Structure formats: structure tokens, C-alpha cells
Amino acid sequence: MKKLALVLMFATIGISSAFAQFEKGKKYLGASVSGFDMSYSETTKFHFGLDVLGGYMVAKDWMVMGELGFNYHNSDTHAFSVGARGRYYIEQNGIFLGFGAKYQHEWKSYNDCFLTPEVGYCLFLNKNVMLEPSIYYNMSMTDFGNKSRFGLKVGLGFFL
């Protein structure tokens, strides 16, 4: 019984120190990989994306972020993107809700703006490092039918 109480006490301390990361003033640096599209788009057969994120906790559980991205579609289409987003962390269960907008430029002189809602989960690996799987939807503002897509991405985040 004493061992169980000791294990529960250390687990509680570990969880509470992880949630302390969601306090105002914390800085965030992350990267995510996507390419597991669940897309209905006929134009994209293969997709690989890499995003780099930087963020700042403006209030308890609220983060603003900047995003730079590179996307590889098929063999002849490459795109760069820049965007801004916000996240709300639900501390009780580790889920986060995000919403943002990004501008994307493809090599073939195609430009588009996207709205990007996202739902994910924070799995803390230690006090400052977390694994962030999420489901996102990139909604195109110019070609909704062919350029919008659902997807799955996996990120690695660091609180500084």
C-alpha cells in the first residue's frame, strides 16, 4: 500500500509540473511532419509537409504561434507557406484546439489562402518536451473542391 501511495504521489507531481508549462510567458518551439492525408482531392496523389512553429503563451492555456512550412505534392509541385495561429490547451485531458490562417505559394504561380482548424493531443515525454499528434483541415479560399484537405500530422514541441 505504501508503494502505491508513493507511485501516485510521484505521478501527481509529474503531471502538475507538466501542466505548469501552460502558464503565461512560456515560449514554444516545434516542428511537425504531415503527409498522412485523408484527402478527397483528385489533384494530390502524394503529399509530404514539414512545418516549423514558434509560439508564446499570452495567457494561461492560450498560445499564439507563427508558422513556416514546406509542402511537396506529387513530383512537380512544391509549395511554401507562412501563417499565424492560436491554440487553446485543455489541461485536464491534454487536448488542444487550434485555429489559424496561412498564405501558400506554389512553384507554378499559384497562390492561395487557407483557414486551418486543428484538434490535437499533448503527450509530455518529459517536463519540456511533448509529442503532438493532431488532425487538421486546410480549407482553401480559392479552390475549395480540389485544394482543401483533411490530414494527420505528428509534431514535436519544446517549451523554453
Side-chain angles (χ1 to χ4, degrees), residues 25 75 97 115 134 143 158 160:
S75 61
L97 307 171
L115 297 179
S134 64
D143 191 0
F158 302 93
L160 307 172

Side-chain angles (χ1 to χ4, degrees), residues 15 19 40 44 48 50 58-59 93 98 103 106 115 120 150 160:
I15 290 171
F19 290 145
Y40 57 84
T44 303
F48 173 78
L50 177 64
V58 294
N93 54 20
Y103 170 79
E106 293 182 8
L115 297 179
F150 284 99
L160 307 172

Side-chain angles (χ1 to χ4, degrees), residues 59-129:
K60 184 175 176 14
D61 301 331
W62 289 93
M63 181 186 296
V64 294
M65 306 171 84
E67 168 186 1
L68 293 174
F70 172 76
N71 289 298
Y72 176 86
H73 303 277
N74 302 327
S75 61
D76 60 344
T77 307
H78 311 301
F80 289 98
S81 62
V82 60
R85 65 177 57 219
R87 272 191 189 169
Y88 176 73
Y89 290 92
I90 303 171
E91 290 187 31
Q92 292 81 4
N93 54 20
I95 293 175
F96 64 84
L97 307 171
F99 187 79
K102 69 179 177 179
Y103 170 79
Q104 181 170 301
H105 172 72
E106 293 182 8
W107 287 129
K108 299 216 176 191
S109 299
Y110 179 79
N111 298 313
D112 201 351
C113 291
F114 291 88
L115 297 179
T116 59
E118 173 183 26
V119 176
Y121 182 74
C122 293
L123 176 64
F124 277 91
L125 303 177
N126 67 26
K127 183 180 172 186
N128 295 322
V129 179

